[in-house]
Amino acid sequence: MKGTKAGKVMAIFLMVAQIAQVLSLPTTAPAFLWTPHDYGLSYDGAKDMVNYQTISSKDLAKSVFDEAGWSNIVCTGENGHAKVDLALVFIGRKLHSSDLSKNKQQDPILTETLKMSFTSSNFSMAFPYVATSNGEETVQNALVTEFSEKCGQGFGDSLVINDVDKVQEYVAHTMERTEKEKTDVILYSNDGLKELNGGKLEGEILSELVSVLEKSGARYTFLYVSEPYNHGRHGTRAPLARFLEETNTSSSSKTTKCDELCKLKASLLEGLFVAITLLIILISGLCCMMGIDTPSRFETPQE
């Protein structure tokens, strides 16, 4: 009897531990890197490489420089010319790792552009599980730190652009230069709000950027990293534009609008509350059952 009770208690503890482990798993997002043509780079015929491990932003930056050869691309060499004109880093905000396996995509242009670019390039790498940032360890900070460590003073020009037209102007200006001794790095950080992107989805912006690079004839390498905003900390990683938008909405009207982020938070909290309630009911029921003491023998009724 005691052994049965101990086994039930251990089963309860194991169940709680498993639930806590599932709830504590980090949120992951994918990253894709591709170089359309050879450009004289030695990749040993590597193509469609996939790293299925869950890595951090820092590990991603190291893989981009070491395995993808960006240390030989974006760092200024002592002699010779740059083999690649541009290295473009696109930081998205919409795509999660779980979205890759869904049949119905919220942004089909995004997934189709990534698929076509990945499969049709001379060299390509995929990182399906990159843990989202915690605190200051963002993808942008990890890349900048890795640039500084690998390239030192030899790091080429880098700038942050959030407009496709400005990227097109910069690419055209870059292609006008006859001699290029270093590879320029463009960082395009998408804020995830259609209102600030001219009503365009993230996939449309990515498709336009790839089209601009292809039409310009530039030798380029492209890194797409999805870094959804951390939903667990209010205001820490939320964009300023979203904060202003919510403030204006609340001050102009008394109605509260629940967007995709609000619905996601509500679904997670609802599921968490239901799981906790069911767990409490299960533990209470098992404790009540274990507290019942039924006699093993009954007296013979007297006639």
Side-chain angles (χ1 to χ4, degrees):
M1 193 69 165
K2 293 182 178 179
T4 305
K5 291 183 178 180
K8 291 181 179 179
V9 173
M10 288 298 299
I12 293 174
F13 284 140
L14 289 175
M15 185 183 301
V16 173
Q18 290 178 356
I19 293 176
Q21 183 178 5
V22 171
L23 294 176
S24 62
L25 289 176
T27 304
T28 59
F32 298 89
L33 185 146
W34 65 88
T35 303
H37 305 290
D38 187 8
Y39 302 142
L41 303 173
S42 57
Y43 288 129
D44 298 330
K47 181 178 174 62
D48 299 349
M49 298 175 58
V50 182
N51 184 355
Y52 290 103
Q53 296 179 345
T54 301
I55 60 177
S56 63
S57 301
K58 186 176 181 180
D59 295 332
L60 173 64
K62 290 184 178 295
S63 298
V64 167
F65 269 83
D66 297 336
E67 300 178 21
W70 272 37
S71 57
N72 299 324
I73 296 177
V74 299
C75 298
T76 304
E78 297 179 357
N79 300 316
H81 302 283
K83 295 181 179 180
V84 177
D85 301 321
L86 291 168
L88 199 150
V89 180
F90 186 100
I91 299 179
R93 303 295 182 184
K94 293 296 185 181
L95 197 60
H96 293 77
S97 298
S98 58
D99 296 334
L100 300 177
S101 58
K102 294 180 179 178
N103 295 327
K104 186 177 181 180
Q105 301 289 339
Q106 294 183 353
D107 191 352
I109 300 178
L110 176 61
T111 53
E112 188 65 23
T113 302
L114 291 173
K115 179 181 178 181
M116 292 297 298
S117 301
F118 180 79
T119 56
S120 61
S121 297
N122 180 73
F123 172 79
S124 54
M125 293 186 67
F127 306 88
Y129 306 105
V130 180
T132 54
S133 60
N134 292 321
E136 298 297 330
E137 190 182 351
T138 62
V139 173
Q140 181 175 346
N141 293 339
L143 289 174
V144 171
T145 301
E146 194 70 16
F147 286 164
S148 302
E149 293 179 357
K150 296 290 185 180
C151 301
Q153 298 297 326
F155 179 53
D157 295 337
S158 62
L159 69 159
V160 179
I161 302 179
N162 293 345
D163 184 80
V164 178
D165 294 333
K166 292 182 179 180
V167 173
Q168 187 174 5
E169 293 176 2
Y170 186 84
V171 172
H173 176 71
T174 301
M175 296 306 297
E176 291 176 356
R177 291 184 297 177
T178 56
E179 296 184 359
K180 304 179 182 65
E181 298 180 356
K182 55 188 177 182
T183 299
D184 295 336
V185 180
I186 299 177
L187 176 64
Y188 192 103
S189 180
N190 185 37
D191 48 43
L193 294 177
K194 293 174 63 177
E195 291 79 1
L196 299 182
N197 295 328
K200 297 179 181 179
L201 295 173
E202 185 173 300
E204 295 174 337
I205 298 175
L206 179 64
S207 179
E208 289 183 8
L209 289 175
V210 174
S211 178
V212 167
L213 294 174
E214 289 290 341
K215 292 180 180 179
S216 66
R219 300 169 298 176
Y220 72 93
T221 180
F222 204 109
L223 172 63
Y224 171 88
V225 183
S226 182
E227 190 179 30
Y229 290 115
N230 194 338
H231 304 310
R233 296 191 308 271
H234 175 69
T236 303
R237 286 287 297 153
L240 177 61
R242 175 180 175 82
F243 174 77
L244 294 175
E245 181 188 27
E246 291 178 349
T247 304
N248 294 333
T249 303
S250 60
S251 60
S252 60
S253 61
K254 297 182 179 179
T255 59
T256 303
K257 181 180 179 181
C258 188
D259 57 2
E260 295 180 359
L261 177 58
C262 173
K263 294 179 181 178
L264 177 61
K265 290 181 178 179
S267 300
L268 292 177
L269 289 175
E270 182 181 357
L272 181 61
F273 290 151
V274 171
I276 293 176
T277 303
L278 294 177
L279 184 60
I280 293 175
I281 295 175
L282 176 62
I283 295 176
S284 301
L286 292 176
C287 291
C288 292
M289 292 179 61
M290 289 186 294
I292 298 176
D293 293 330
T294 304
S296 58
R297 294 182 179 181
F298 296 92
E299 296 181 358
T300 304
Q302 298 179 357
E303 296 182 358

